[in-house]
Structure formats: C-alpha cells, structure tokens
Amino acid sequence: MSLKLNADKVPYVDLGGGIHIELDLSEYDDDKLCVEKAREELRETPEIVEASLKQLRELLKDEKDLNVPIDDDKFLKRILRPTKYYAESAFEMLKGLYKTKANKNFILEDLSANAIKVALEEKVIQVFPKRDQHGRRIIYMEMGSKWNSSKVPFPELIRASHGLLTILLLEPRTQLHGFVFVTNFDRLSLAHMGQFGPKFAKITLDYGQKNAPIRVKAINIVNNAKLFNVMFKVFKPFLGQKWGKRIHFHSSDMGSLHKHIDASCLPTKLGGTLEWPEYDGKVLVEFVEHYQWYFDEMNSYGYKGAQK
C-alpha cells in the first residue's frame, strides 16, 4: 500500500491488485445516468442551476460580514446540491455552518492534515476504494475494540470525519450520490461510553443534520450489542426524522448489511468479496496532505470578525 502520483500529478493510494483510492474531480455533465439522477433528485437542470446561483449570490451579497467566494460556481454548487438547488435553504445552511465555526467549534476550526493525522493513522476512520452500487462513497468508522479513545477522543474522530469528507466533496459525483457510513461497535467498552456526552452528541448531530453540505444517505451500524443501546439513548433525542429513518442496525448479520451495500463493494471483514491489503493509515495521511491547499482555502472563509 503506497501513495503514488498519476500522469497528471494527482495523488492516489495504490492498494494493490489494481485497486485505488483516488479523487475524481471531473464533472458528470457527459454521463447520462448522472445527469438524469441529478435532474430527478436535485432538480439540477441548466435553467434551475442558473437561477439558483443568481439567487444565492444575491442573498450572500447582503450578508456582508460573511466571506465566501460568491463568484465561484463550483463552491456554490457544493452548497446548492445537498439542498436540491433551493437557494434560500442553501443560504441558511451556509450561515449555520459559518456561525458554528465562528463559535470556535472544534470540528470546523483551523482544519489541517496535521490536525486529523492521529485519527487517520489509527485507522478509526477510512474511505473504502470502491463506491457502493448507487455510486455513493463508503466511509468506515471503528468505534469498538480497534478504537483507542485515549489517543483519539470522540471529538477528534468527528473532526477527522469532517476533514476527510471535506476533501471527498471536491468530487462532483460525491456531491450528487452522497455518502453511506458503516460504523463498527464491536466490543464497545465503558471507556468508550465515557466519550459520549449529551452536549457533544447534540453539537455533532446538529452539525451533520443542519449545517454540513453533505448528502448522508445511510448510516449502517454493525456489531451493536447491549452497551450500544445505552449509548444510543444519548444521541436519540437529537436525531431528526430524516436521519432517524436512515440509520440501520445489523448487529453481526452481514447479510443484513449487504441488503443496503452490495457485498462486491465491501472488504471480507464485513462479509464482502472485495479484497485489499490491511489499511495503512499513514498512507491516507500522505494522501490528505496533498489537499492541505484546500483546507487552507476553506479555513479562510467565514464571518469576518471570527477569523484569526
């Protein structure tokens, strides 16, 4: 497992056997299936896109203390796609995102490859090389026996998740198809339980459900035992209707998981048929370091009085 550069100097993680982790930054306007899906699910037509971009720019111009690149179509589309091109909804989400950042929220503040290095090295969060059968990026999280919560506290884990997703959202296809999560809670311990306070549970879910410009299509929980049910009670009061319907509990039944994510997209440890070497977190850190320029760009946006 190693980091390489392709002919265009774009980094990718070579997992062996022709399996790569690599960003696809191309637009999907020449992909008929993606164009049709974008039209049906996001109302993405040339007319609506043009009108929505214009309306969002007008709204942002009136929000004079908010520094964002209002002339950058790619940036604005990343905000408009998860809100189905409803400009007012995108505007409210963007304000919520940067107001959260202005409150010195740890998840969003001064994001860098170095800030999320330990979580990636410890492999508590990973991106799988293959998208699922619906084109969605698969994010895997270790929150059980392989999670050393003294090295990577829960806030650090969520911060790393935000950082990794921020980079993946450079992909137009990921903006369209969204993400599915698989979270492994095998042998959840009392030490882990101490990480889940109600305050941070609310901050995490408020950010993910209201202010993050991402399409979370499903959250799959595996190896959830009795102790998990106690922990889940901390989060349940803060779950909205949409996310509540998209959480699926599979226990140790990988066949149940495969009803949501095809086995051909998953590694053997999840009952899948796609094999690659043991994940090397250090290589993923190297991959993320190549996108520090994007973190720097994102860090420069926000409410002017709140910037450092």
Side-chain angles (χ1 to χ4, degrees):
M1 187 174 185
S2 61
L3 187 75
K4 297 180 179 179
L5 300 177
N6 67 17
D8 297 320
K9 305 298 182 183
V10 175
Y12 67 93
V13 178
D14 186 354
L15 296 167
I19 302 175
H20 296 165
I21 298 174
E22 183 175 3
L23 295 192
D24 178 4
L25 303 182
S26 65
E27 294 291 341
Y28 51 73
D29 49 6
D30 60 348
D31 185 325
K32 291 183 178 179
L33 291 177
C34 285
V35 170
E36 182 178 351
K37 181 176 182 177
R39 183 177 63 250
E40 291 180 354
E41 293 191 11
L42 306 183
R43 306 189 314 127
E44 189 174 290
T45 66
E47 297 78 14
I48 290 176
V49 170
E50 182 180 358
S52 297
L53 285 170
K54 181 181 178 181
Q55 185 182 358
L56 182 55
R57 284 193 175 99
E58 290 172 351
L59 291 167
L60 288 169
K61 284 178 182 177
D62 290 335
E63 192 76 3
K64 299 186 184 301
D65 289 334
L66 180 57
N67 173 41
V68 292
I70 63 174
D71 294 321
D72 185 342
D73 283 1
K74 289 185 177 181
F75 174 85
L76 296 183
K77 283 182 180 180
R78 283 198 290 273
I79 307 302
L80 285 163
R81 279 177 172 142
T83 58
K84 301 184 178 181
Y85 283 92
Y86 289 105
E88 290 185 357
S89 296
F91 179 56
E92 292 301 321
M93 181 175 68
L94 201 58
K95 287 194 299 180
L97 176 67
Y98 288 116
K99 284 178 180 177
T100 301
K101 180 183 177 183
N103 288 333
K104 307 299 181 185
N105 181 276
F106 173 74
I107 298 172
L108 305 177
E109 193 179 13
D110 294 331
L111 193 61
S112 68
N114 189 60
I116 63 175
K117 178 179 179 180
V118 176
L120 298 180
E121 287 182 342
E122 289 289 306
K123 299 179 287 188
V124 292
I125 181 161
Q126 306 168 16
V127 55
F128 284 172
K130 190 172 180 179
R131 296 174 183 269
D132 78 353
Q133 67 273 23
H134 302 295
R136 304 174 295 195
R137 280 288 189 185
I138 305 171
I139 303 297
Y140 180 70
M141 302 179 77
E142 290 279 11
M143 298 185 70
S145 61
K146 294 183 179 180
W147 174 31
N148 185 337
S149 56
S150 63
K151 281 189 176 181
V152 187
F154 182 60
E156 292 275 5
L157 192 157
I158 298 302
R159 183 174 173 84
S161 174
H162 165 67
L164 188 57
L165 267 60
T166 295
I167 291 173
L168 294 172
L169 281 170
L170 283 166
E171 301 179 300
R173 281 171 173 78
T174 299
Q175 296 166 32
L176 168 63
H177 300 305
F179 297 92
V180 291
F181 287 78
V182 180
T183 306
N184 180 22
F185 282 94
D186 72 310
R187 287 182 283 169
L188 185 71
S189 70
L190 290 175
H192 294 134
M193 289 285 291
Q195 297 287 318
F196 303 114
K199 181 179 179 180
F200 199 77
K202 184 179 187 306
I203 290 172
T204 301
L205 289 177
D206 280 353
Y207 160 71
Q209 296 177 111
K210 300 175 183 178
N211 301 325
I214 58 177
R215 304 188 76 202
V216 176
K217 305 302 292 182
I219 300 170
N220 295 279
I221 308 295
V222 298
N223 296 315
N224 47 299
K226 290 182 179 179
L227 199 56
F228 169 86
N229 296 329
V230 177
M231 181 275 293
F232 189 65
K233 289 180 180 179
V234 177
F235 287 83
K236 195 170 182 179
F238 310 117
L239 273 174
Q241 186 176 18
K242 182 185 287 187
W243 274 31
K245 290 180 178 179
R246 293 182 179 181
I247 296 179
H248 311 292
F249 303 98
H250 306 292
S251 189
S252 59
D253 183 359
M254 296 304 144
S256 173
L257 174 64
H258 300 161
K259 292 177 182 177
H260 295 267
I261 303 176
D262 194 272
S264 65
C265 310
L266 295 170
T268 52
K269 66 182 177 182
L270 294 173
T273 59
L274 187 63
E275 295 188 24
W276 64 81
E278 177 66 25
Y279 212 102
D280 186 344
K282 292 182 179 179
V283 176
L284 191 58
V285 172
E286 292 178 37
F287 176 80
V288 168
E289 286 174 343
H290 276 268
Y291 293 95
Q292 180 61 46
W293 63 268
Y294 188 57
F295 285 150
D296 293 340
E297 186 177 305
M298 291 297 103
N299 287 335
S300 72
Y301 304 146
Y303 280 97
K304 295 175 183 177
Q307 293 185 49
K308 292 186 176 179

